[in-house]
Each structure stands twice: as structure tokens, then as C-alpha cells.
Amino acid sequence: MLYEDLLANVPELESLHTRKFRWLVTGSAGFIGSNLVEALLSLNQSVIGLDNFTTGKHENLKAATRINPGNFTLINGSINDFETCRLATQNVDFVLHHAALISVPESLSQPQNYHATNAQGFANILEASRANHAKRIMYASSSAVYGDSPENPKLESKLNPENFLSPYALTKYLNELSAKFYSNVYGLECVGFRYFNVFGQRQDPTGAYAAVISKWVDCVKNSEIPVIFGDGKATRDFCSVQNIVIANLLAALAPNVSGKVFNIGCGIETSLSELLRIIYKIFAPAQELRVNYESPRAGDIMRSCADISLARKYLHYEPIVSLETGLKFLKESLA
């Protein structure tokens, strides 16, 4: 079992093997959320999932809960409804908040929807968690908050709202401000993560806004030609979802992290051309590498990489799953 083996190699999580907590995972039927559910159940933890299945999938939960299904309870509901949030957070120790609308391009055409779900929905989770005395909230921010900042690697302290490129980025920044306020004023412990280019099992390859790895893997498996916008020299910090899961669990147990926000990536730049080469090597070694180059898209940045020194210092976080290993795990999950 993937998570059981991986988590056994993280000594900071040893107490989770012997002590049972009650966890709420919002967005539990989504990509990251379902991986969090799977990992927690592999540790014999008690898990509540909250999802309204706008983008989440029942099959994700079916796969995630095959281990210890009796420890999982699903609430079919929305974070936009405060009463649902209040019920979901009752008697919960830790909240892993990953329910959100996540498309940067879509947020430009639907800013009100993104504010209602991402900002107000998170406000509901914060207030419900405070009222029900949750120990700590871990929540998903995004590397999108760095916008078109030319600085690289990205440092948590070097954020400038003038660099924002989308309502999505704005909502994530508002979440960081709200979490900091609740930590400082109400004493509700909150820890945020600026995720960098997450990929892995149960990531949806369909749709106009699918992440590049899931889309390219789908293309290569179906003998279609992937598209690179630009010359392929743009770089990203690709982070396997298993690293994201470990960061969340580390943050739940780490001391002196309330109110902080951490970059979570691998700290390694990979060009789009190199990424495609690796995908072909792993998923279609007998195929000739093919690619269509198209004009760069408006708003795309050339370089993006996480400085993860703060996460290393405070969380003892290490990206133990590399890009190639993560892609091999993905291949195994699709077999």
C-alpha cells in the first residue's frame, strides 16, 4: 500500500501510527482531498469527508476509502453553507481544507463565484472550526499568489499583491489574511500551503483547464500529440501529490507554526520540454517523441520554483517523491 509504506519512512509522523485523531477533509472527493483521505485511513485515523461533488468524483472516494472504510464518514454538502460547515467540524481535531474552485482562467470570467466559494467558503470553515474548538486548520493556498513576480525561486516573504493575475490568486491571498487574523485574534491555529504544480493519481486529465502533466500523460497514452505553448524552455516546480500529503500531516503535528504559510514544492526547476521527455520515457518508451508548439499564452510566466527552506525548518518537510518517481506512481495507479 503506497501511503502506508511512504508514511512509515517519516519519523515525525510516528505518533499517528499509535494515536487516533478525528480529521475533516473538505474537497474530499477531489484530487488532493482524496489522497489525504487515503493516507489518513492507511494510518487508521477517523476521517470525515465534505464535498458537494461539483468537481469531486465518487470514484475518487471509492478508491481512497478501500482501506479502513469503516473509519470514513461522508457529508454531501457545500462549504458555502455555514450550517453544513458547523456540523462537519463538530468534535474534529484537525481540518484539512482543500475544497475550492481552482481554475485560473475560469476565475477571470467568474470572479463572483470564485469569491463566494474560495473566500467566503473558507470564512465559513474558519468560523465553524473556531466555534467547535478544532485544534488546527491546514489549508490550501497556491503559488498563483506570486503572479508575474520575476523573482525566482519564490520566497514566502516576497509576495506583492500588485503581481496578481487572476481572481483565483486574490481569493487565495484573502484566505491567507483571514487565517492569519483567526490565528492572531481568536487563537485558532492555521497553517497555509502555497502549492507548486501538483500532480498524481486521480488528477482529472479532461477539460480545458486540466493540469499539464495529467493532460500530457493522457495524450501520450492515447498516441495523441501534446501541445507546448511557447518554446518549451519555461520551467515549473512539479510536485507529486504524495509530498503534499506528507506536508499536511507534518503541519498538523509541528509546534510553533500557527499563522504561517509555507511553499510546498520540490525546489527543482524542470523545463516543459524536459518534462515531456520524461513522460514519454515512462509512459511510452517505444514511441517517438512528438510535440506541437503553439504561441505562448497571455499571462504565462517563464520560470517558477519554490524556495522550501521555511517548510524544511518548521515542518521538517522533505520532498521524498521526485518527479520521475511520482510519474511512476501515477503510471501504476493507471494500470
Side-chain angles (χ1 to χ4, degrees), residues 209-220:
Y209 309 124
V212 63
I213 286 182
S214 58
K215 182 175 286 188
W216 282 0
V217 166
D218 198 50
C219 282
V220 170

Side-chain angles (χ1 to χ4, degrees), residues 126-144:
L126 284 171
E127 181 56 22
S129 299
R130 181 185 76 87
N132 283 322
H133 309 290
K135 286 183 173 68
R136 185 174 289 179
I137 295 178
M138 279 58 64
Y139 67 93
S141 183
S142 171
S143 60

Side-chain angles (χ1 to χ4, degrees), residues 152-205:
N152 205 55
K154 311 301 183 188
L155 289 167
E156 290 92 342
S157 60
K158 299 292 186 179
L159 186 147
N160 184 349
E162 292 185 4
N163 295 126
F164 292 170
L165 297 174
S166 67
Y168 171 75
L170 175 60
T171 63
K172 290 299 183 179
Y173 180 60
L174 290 173
N175 286 358
E176 292 184 10
L177 294 177
S178 296
K180 183 72 170 178
F181 177 84
Y182 267 74
S183 293
N184 291 343
V185 175
Y186 294 121
L188 176 64
E189 296 193 355
C190 302
V191 184
F193 305 113
R194 295 174 184 166
Y195 295 144
F196 281 71
N197 299 92
V198 187
F199 72 94
Q201 60 182 1
R202 296 192 286 274
Q203 190 172 35
D204 188 356

